[in-house]
Amino acid sequence: MSPRRNRPKGAGSSGSSGQGAEDDRSGRYGGWQSTESWRGEEWNVRHVAGASAVGKTYRCPGCDQMIPSGVPHVVAWPEHAGVDDRRHWHKACWNAKDRRTTRVQRSRNAPKF
């Protein structure tokens, strides 16, 4: 008996590695990408699965807290910006970005990053 193949039935067995832009938008980074309007400009928003974020930690600009390794989150950047402008957000912080104040409230002993 041969081992089970976990490929969808529609996947080609020709082994072609050419991926289009749509393939890159969904599966490559473990999530899906969309465009949203915020603060008068268009933002690219990519949802990152926890499995593709293992070994990396980020600081969320929404709550100023760490996003631990392996936690699903959102990466957002302005449409006409470069790689350096990408920011990693908690999903809840990204969804609540319009309800937050512009001034980050920190406790007395919290580090200022």
Side-chain angles (χ1 to χ4, degrees):
M1 235 170 118
S2 62
R4 178 180 170 182
R5 294 183 184 196
N6 290 326
R7 277 187 244 146
K9 290 183 180 180
S13 59
S14 63
S16 64
S17 61
Q19 290 185 339
E22 285 299 314
D23 293 338
D24 187 39
R25 290 174 56 107
S26 62
R28 184 173 176 189
Y29 295 100
W32 54 274
Q33 182 172 327
S34 63
T35 303
E36 295 182 22
S37 181
W38 183 47
R39 291 187 177 172
E41 62 181 318
E42 295 297 312
W43 287 69
N44 293 316
V45 180
R46 179 175 291 152
H47 295 262
V48 179
S52 58
V54 173
K56 305 170 191 169
T57 58
Y58 304 99
R59 183 165 299 274
C60 175
C63 65
D64 203 34
Q65 300 296 314
M66 296 302 290
I67 301 173
S69 172
V71 172
H73 60 279
V74 172
V75 180
W77 65 98
E79 189 173 48
H80 300 291
V83 174
D84 294 335
D85 294 322
R86 291 185 299 185
R87 296 293 174 257
H88 296 255
W89 295 68
H90 292 105
K91 287 183 180 184
C93 293
W94 177 256
N95 292 336
K97 65 191 176 296
D98 293 326
R99 296 188 303 265
R100 292 188 178 273
T101 62
T102 56
R103 186 166 178 247
V104 175
Q105 301 289 327
R106 293 186 181 92
S107 67
R108 229 179 258 198
N109 297 327
K112 295 180 181 178
F113 293 102

